[in-house]
Amino acid sequence: MQFPLVVLHLWGLFCCFSRVLSPCRAMPIVVTILSCLMMFLLSTCEESLPPRNPPQDYLEATLTASSSAVEVRDSAVTGLGGALVVSLRNIYVEVLQDSEFARVDVDVWMRDMPEQRVHVVATRRELTNSGLISRGLLTLRPNETAVFLRQWSHRTGQGRWFWEFVPLTLKQPPVGPPYLESDTVHLVAEGQAQLFKGRAPERLARISFSTFYRIYE
């Protein structure tokens, strides 16, 4: 309803009341009606915005592992063969920023002997893009990914090498020293990962992967 039309209607209403009541008594009634009408018109013009809810699923978490040979020299793992890779990608439309709490927990065990297992932990030291953290805050832009790269002990929680549970074959290459090569070791892994303090960790779905070992004396 246009404002001039409202005025005309109210004037007509005032005239009707004036015929029945005195102008002094009619005016307060018309003013009350006008106030109620204006409040109604203002309320219909205001559009309420939907409440802004924080994102529920804002990170896409994946766990993978390198399937290349794990080299063991002087009883220590060298290189990145068999390393674990954890990726957390921002799938939200806005920048994510909060107090940093970068941590990954992964359980690894033998597929055919699940009692032979180990717990692996990665922290901010294993972040390949540590520049995401500044002054205690971790910032992740839309579609940006935080990546943990973690080489681990390849020993069980009791300290035994995983290659101790499969046959070994002596190899003599044309060039270089001889070494022992294990049969394929089939492993399973799952866990959880976290980037922000006070936020629930993301589940890392179970994966199966295989590797083999080259042991140099």
Side-chain angles (χ1 to χ4, degrees), residues 62-66 83-87 147-150:
T62 57
L63 168 64
T64 58
S66 169
L84 300 174
V85 181
V86 174
S87 302
V147 180
F148 294 84
L149 177 60
R150 179 69 161 92

Side-chain angles (χ1 to χ4, degrees), residues 125-175:
R125 292 176 300 180
E126 281 74 45
L127 272 175
T128 61
N129 42 358
S130 58
L132 298 175
I133 303 172
S134 177
R135 297 180 180 180
L137 293 177
L138 192 150
T139 304
L140 206 61
R141 294 177 176 82
N143 209 40
E144 191 171 22
T145 303
V147 180
F148 294 84
L149 177 60
R150 179 69 161 92
Q151 183 56 283
W152 48 292
S153 67
H154 294 270
R155 297 173 183 260
T156 68
Q158 289 72 42
R160 297 186 64 184
W161 292 97
F162 279 106
W163 49 258
E164 293 183 36
F165 301 95
V166 296
L168 300 177
T169 303
L170 179 63
K171 299 285 186 176
Q172 179 62 67
V175 179

Side-chain angles (χ1 to χ4, degrees), residues 72-86:
V72 180
R73 296 177 183 271
D74 298 324
S75 298
V77 175
T78 62
L80 294 175
L84 300 174
V85 181
V86 174

Side-chain angles (χ1 to χ4, degrees), residues 106-121:
V106 177
D107 289 313
V108 184
W109 64 92
M110 295 189 70
R111 184 192 65 187
D112 301 323
M113 288 182 282
E115 69 278 6
Q116 305 301 334
R117 58 175 56 226
V118 66
H119 184 75
V120 181
V121 176

Side-chain angles (χ1 to χ4, degrees), residues 84-104:
L84 300 174
V85 181
V86 174
S87 302
L88 293 161
R89 184 171 68 92
N90 179 8
I91 58 174
Y92 192 48
V93 295
E94 297 180 8
V95 174
L96 300 175
Q97 185 180 71
D98 207 341
S99 299
E100 173 264 329
F101 187 80
R103 181 183 172 95
V104 171

